[in-house]
Amino acid sequence: TNNHVVDNAEEIIVRLSDRRELTARLIGTDPRSDLAVLKIEGGDDLPVVKIGKSEKLRPGEWVFAIGSPFGFDYTVTAGIVSAIGRALPSENYVPFIQTDVAINPGNSGGPLFNLDGEVVGINSQIYTRSGGFMGVSFAIPMDDVMNVFRQIRDTGTVERGWLGVLIQEVNRDLAESFGLKRPRGALVAEVMNGSPARKAGLRSGDIILEFNGQEISLSSDLPPMVGRTPVGEDATLTVLRDGKETEIDVAIGRLPQDQAGMQVGSDPVTGSAG
C-alpha cells in the first residue's frame, strides 16, 4: 500500500472481500517512493492478485482501478494510459504511470490493472486544484513496487543508486547552444563534492545523453535509471562535452538518506489520493 495511507497509524486493519478483518503488521516503509509493506496472516485461502510487468505498458492502453473512494467499497474506474515515466517534484525516483482513471480519496494504495487482470501499478497521486479528481492521476509502476517490496522484505531498508549531480532540462535554446539537433539529455548544473560523479570526472556543463545505453530524452528520465541501479555497480554515461560525445564510467554510490533528489525545476502541483 502507500506509505501515506499507514503513516502514523496506531493499528492497521486489512478488510477482505469476504468481510474478514485481519490485523496487519507493518514490515517497513519507503517514504521516498510512498510505499509501505504490510503482512497479514489468515491461512491458506487468502485471495491473491497476479503481478504484471509495468514495463510492457504503452500509452493508449486501457487500465482500470479498484478501490474504496469515499468509503464505497470495490469501486471500479477505468481509463487509458496517458504516459509512462512521468516525474513529480516530490518523487524524483519514481517514474509514474499517468492515466485518466478516476482516483479519489480512498483509492490510494489500491491496484491498477491491465485488461489481462494483472496489477501493473499502485494508485498514489492525483493532479488537483479542488482536492478531487480532475482527469489526471498517477500510479507507481509495479516493477518499481516489487523492487522496493523485495528490499524491504529481505533487508528492512531500501537502497537506491546515487550519482551526485544536480540536473536541469535541456530546452531548445540550450540545445542550439550545445549543438544538439533537438532538446534531449540532462544538463549537469552542479556536481556534489565527494560524489560518484565527482570521482568519475563529470563536470558542470556536461549533458548526459545516455545511461547504460538508454537514451535520456527528458532530464527526469535520469533519476529513476540511477536509482534502480545496484549500489557499487559500474554504469556507463554517454556525455556531450565541448561539442563531442564521450563515454564516462562511474561506480554508482548509495543515495544518502538526506539527499532530496537530483533534479532542479518545477512541476505541476500534485497531492496524494488519500
Side-chain angles (χ1 to χ4, degrees), residues 63-69 72-79 101-103 107 111 113:
V63 287
F64 65 96
I66 298 178
S68 300
F72 296 110
D73 290 346
Y74 322 123
T75 295
V76 180
T77 52
V101 175
I103 299 297
N107 275 112
F113 291 91

Side-chain angles (χ1 to χ4, degrees), residues 26-133:
L26 183 62
I27 301 300
T29 64
D30 181 39
R32 187 171 270 119
S33 64
D34 192 24
L35 289 170
V37 176
L38 310 179
K39 183 176 182 178
I40 59 174
E41 295 181 4
D44 299 327
D45 60 340
L46 291 175
V48 296
V49 293
K50 184 183 295 183
I51 303 300
K53 291 285 188 181
S54 54
E55 67 179 9
K56 295 181 179 180
L57 273 181
R58 295 294 179 268
E61 188 171 336
W62 280 91
V63 287
F64 65 96
I66 298 178
S68 300
F70 310 110
F72 296 110
D73 290 346
Y74 322 123
T75 295
V76 180
T77 52
I80 61 172
V81 175
S82 302
I84 54 177
R86 286 288 200 215
L88 300 181
S90 58
E91 285 94 3
N92 288 333
Y93 286 85
V94 178
F96 282 98
I97 302 166
Q98 181 189 328
T99 75
D100 66 347
V101 175
I103 299 297
N104 284 291
N107 275 112
S108 281
L112 183 74
F113 291 91
N114 61 20
L115 292 188
D116 292 325
E118 300 169 333
V119 180
V120 291
I122 289 184
N123 301 308
S124 175
Q125 306 279 337
I126 59 174
Y127 178 103
T128 181
R129 289 175 177 160
S130 66
F133 176 66

